[in-house]
Amino acid sequence: MDRSIAMRGLVTLALCAVVVGCASVTPVPYSEMASSAYMAPDKSDTSGRVPYRYSTQVDWRTYNKVILDPVTIYRGRDHQFGDMSDKDKATLAAYMQNRFADRLRGRFALVNARGPNTLRVRLTLTGAVTNTPVLGTLSRFDVAGAVYNGVQAARDGEGTLTGSVIYGVEIFDASTSRLLSAYVTKQYPNAYDIKASVGSLAAATAGIDKGADAFMAQLN
């Protein structure tokens, strides 16, 4: 291999690591979420996708109905939207509402009134990062970028120059308003999901898809 090409590859690889490190956002237990006082670091989560959680012993099979509140866009000082526009936040919130509703319909009857055997789910969009235009996709094809993203894909890590979404989930017993479960999660696509690297919000919406699947797995 030409030495100059090899050197360029090493430099690119190093830059990828720096960029991912700088761009990566670490969720916090958002102070203005109602359940923040109950959540604690989730030491059982080795992926880093769910850094904070509160849970109780629940037999989810006893519930067959659910109230899904409108997705809330977090306005607290510790939000992690950066300079994202209000329009993009609203787009993500609407996508999250529809995606979670679709997933819930496969397991529960969606209702509007409190009652027995009914859950209430509250989703709070607390942060998001957009894709880096063009470079995010090109980094999957550059030799060094391909190596780095291959490693990240194997360890379920974030890809280079790729966006993500962060949100809180709170689940209540609708009839008693008792908090059953709450967590903060950061979701992003597989590092080699090329489709999710095209379009500023593609990675964030792909993250919502993954998060909705993980949410339903908890309730089944």
Side-chain angles (χ1 to χ4, degrees), residues 68-72 92-102 123:
L68 179 61
D69 288 352
V71 173
T72 300
L92 289 178
Y95 185 87
M96 181 180 290
Q97 185 79 31
N98 291 331
R99 186 58 65 199
F100 274 75
D102 286 344
L123 303 172

Side-chain angles (χ1 to χ4, degrees), residues 134-191:
V134 182
L135 292 178
T137 302
L138 291 178
S139 67
R140 271 67 183 169
F141 299 98
D142 173 83
V143 173
V147 171
Y148 183 85
N149 284 302
V151 171
Q152 289 296 90
R155 60 197 291 260
D156 195 28
E158 292 181 73
T160 53
L161 307 169
T162 305
S164 60
V165 64
I166 307 172
Y167 56 92
V169 176
E170 296 165 303
I171 308 173
F172 304 86
D173 181 294
S175 62
T176 65
S177 297
R178 182 169 74 93
L179 180 65
L180 303 175
S181 177
Y183 60 91
V184 168
T185 183
K186 177 179 181 179
Q187 296 289 344
Y188 44 84
N190 181 278

Side-chain angles (χ1 to χ4, degrees), residues 23-217:
S24 183
V25 176
T26 302
V28 299
Y30 303 96
S31 60
E32 295 186 25
M33 273 186 60
S35 62
S36 63
Y38 297 91
M39 287 191 279
D42 186 355
K43 296 180 180 179
S44 67
D45 177 59
T46 58
S47 68
R49 287 183 182 268
V50 187
Y52 300 98
R53 184 186 293 275
Y54 167 78
S55 59
T56 59
Q57 286 293 112
V58 183
D59 183 358
W60 300 110
R61 293 171 297 179
T62 63
Y63 295 92
N64 55 23
K65 298 184 287 294
V66 64
I67 300 168
L68 179 61
D69 288 352
V71 173
T72 300
I73 299 174
Y74 187 72
R75 305 294 182 183
R77 282 187 164 187
D78 50 351
H79 74 77
Q80 293 182 299
F81 291 108
D83 59 357
M84 177 173 282
S85 70
D86 288 342
K87 180 180 179 181
D88 282 351
K89 294 174 194 175
T91 297
L92 289 178
Y95 185 87
M96 181 180 290
Q97 185 79 31
N98 291 331
R99 186 58 65 199
F100 274 75
D102 286 344
R103 293 290 194 275
L104 284 165
R105 285 191 189 96
R107 163 74 170 76
F108 300 93
L110 265 66
V111 298
N112 295 315
R114 296 194 305 173
N117 310 115
T118 304
L119 295 173
R120 177 185 169 203
V121 175
R122 179 191 297 159
L123 303 172
T124 305
L125 182 63
T126 58
V129 177
T130 58
N131 285 331
T132 300
V134 182
L135 292 178
T137 302
L138 291 178
S139 67
R140 271 67 183 169
F141 299 98
D142 173 83
V143 173
V147 171
Y148 183 85
N149 284 302
V151 171
Q152 289 296 90
R155 60 197 291 260
D156 195 28
E158 292 181 73
T160 53
L161 307 169
T162 305
S164 60
V165 64
I166 307 172
Y167 56 92
V169 176
E170 296 165 303
I171 308 173
F172 304 86
D173 181 294
S175 62
T176 65
S177 297
R178 182 169 74 93
L179 180 65
L180 303 175
S181 177
Y183 60 91
V184 168
T185 183
K186 177 179 181 179
Q187 296 289 344
Y188 44 84
N190 181 278
Y192 254 119
D193 186 341
I194 305 299
K195 182 179 178 181
S197 70
V198 180
S200 64
L201 298 179
T205 55
I208 290 170
D209 292 343
K210 293 189 74 168
D213 289 340
F215 169 76
M216 292 307 302

